[in-house]
Structure formats: structure tokens, C-alpha cells
Amino acid sequence: MKGLLARKLGMTQLFNPDGTTSAVTVLEAGPCKVLGLRTTEKDGYSAARIAFEVEPDRKFTKPLLGEFKKAGFEPHMHVVEIRGYDGLEAGQELKAEIFSAGELVDVTSTSKGKGFQGLIKRHKFSRGPESHGSMNVRQPGAIGATDAARVFKGVRMAGQMGNERTTSRAYKVVRVDAERNLLLIRGGVPGAKGALVLVRQSTKKQKAKGPAGKPNPRKV
């Protein structure tokens, strides 16, 4: 389960060989450093601690500075754990070239915050009638049960929209620029420009395609 931390730079488009265009998101992936390793014998699970973006010493507490000093490199602002990341050593540098074009990745980021929104924008509800004196155009309908005398948890209502940690799966890597540490991923990645993004090897496998380019039928 390989992965990297990255910054979302924005979106652009690429021209395909057939003359069409594809929208892609540009991510500045790495360079990241391996701060340390979690082992099954010591911690009960295996994982790699990945550090990203060098920052001045004044932004860190003394315990954190000591941790980076022990690892043998300058302090980094962001540290994440990626489970199941094997074959690494403390202090090793990871760059965008660990991924290749055509590979599928899962992307985790914080979505754009939309503020307080109503039912129609937040949950895609339909509006009510606007004629014959209707008083329920964009308001919710019934939100309670007949006999419970209360509102159940989980009822879709107006409230904060966005600004949540979200993971989108099976994005295709279109191009890798190893010199500039750039990943070009097909489609729109969650988050605003400059958002911190975690890119990991996808847990979802590509479907095998038949001779005509169509997915093979499911075997029973």
C-alpha cells in the first residue's frame, strides 16, 4: 500500500491521441521523507510514517524537533501513517515516481466548505409547489414519526455542507512528471487549490476488458 502526501495545484486539460481532451488535476506529490516505521512486534501493526513539507524550527515544539533530529533530517509540517507500506527504511525519500501512468489511486482530502445550506443544495431535494398559496417551497416536509414525538437521528436536514474529510476511489494516473514531482490525475480531486492531499495505491482493481474493449461479463 504505497502512498504520498501532495498539494493540489489546480486543474488543466490534456489532449488525447484521438483529438479529444481530458480534464486532469495536477498534484505536487512529495518529496516525502520516511520519519519512522511501525512494526507488528512493537506496535501491533505495520505502517510507515510519511513526512511532507519542510518548515522552520520555530514552528515546532522541542519534542517534535527531537523526533526529526533523531530521524536525521529537517522538520516537516505534515506527518501521516500509511498502513501496510512495506520495504521502506527510516530517512528514505519518496517522490512522485513511485506511481506510474495508468495506475489507479485513492485520494483523501478535505472537501470545499459551502457553509450552512438548505435541503435542496445539500441533499438534492426537490422543491415544493409555488402556486395556490403553497407555504412549503424550499422548506422540508415531515421530519418526525407519527408516534415517536421526536426527530430521529440521521434525518437529512439543513446544515453545514462540505469541509469534511473525504476519500474518492479509483482515480487514474494519466501522467507522471518525475522531474517536477507532479502527478496528473484524471477528473476532479476533492479540495480547494492548495489543499493537502493523501494519494494512496487504490484498493479497487481495474476490470478486465474483452477483445472489443468492453468489460468481461461477470462469471457465475
Side-chain angles (χ1 to χ4, degrees), residues 3 45 59 152 160 174:
Y45 65 97
K59 294 188 176 182
F152 291 114
Q160 166 69 33
V174 179

Side-chain angles (χ1 to χ4, degrees), residues 7-12 24-27 183 185 187 189 192-194:
R7 283 286 178 189
K8 180 178 177 179
L9 300 183
M11 294 192 68
T12 184
V24 295
T25 301
V26 183
L27 301 178
L183 290 178
I185 298 178
V189 169
K193 288 184 180 180

Side-chain angles (χ1 to χ4, degrees), residues 129-205:
E130 292 184 327
S131 59
H132 299 287
S134 172
M135 302 293 288
N136 188 26
V137 180
R138 296 180 69 91
Q139 291 81 0
I143 60 173
T146 305
D147 205 23
R150 64 186 177 90
V151 179
F152 291 114
K153 290 183 179 180
V155 175
R156 292 180 294 175
M157 302 176 69
Q160 166 69 33
M161 181 180 178
N163 194 29
E164 296 177 339
R165 182 177 172 86
T166 178
T167 299
S168 297
R169 301 178 62 198
Y171 277 89
K172 186 176 182 180
V173 178
V174 179
R175 186 180 299 175
V176 179
D177 190 337
E179 294 183 0
R180 294 186 292 175
N181 280 326
L182 298 180
L183 290 178
L184 276 65
I185 298 178
R186 178 170 294 171
V189 169
K193 288 184 180 180
L196 184 67
V197 179
L198 174 61
V199 185
R200 291 173 293 177
Q201 181 182 359
S202 181
T203 57
K204 189 174 182 180
K205 297 181 180 179

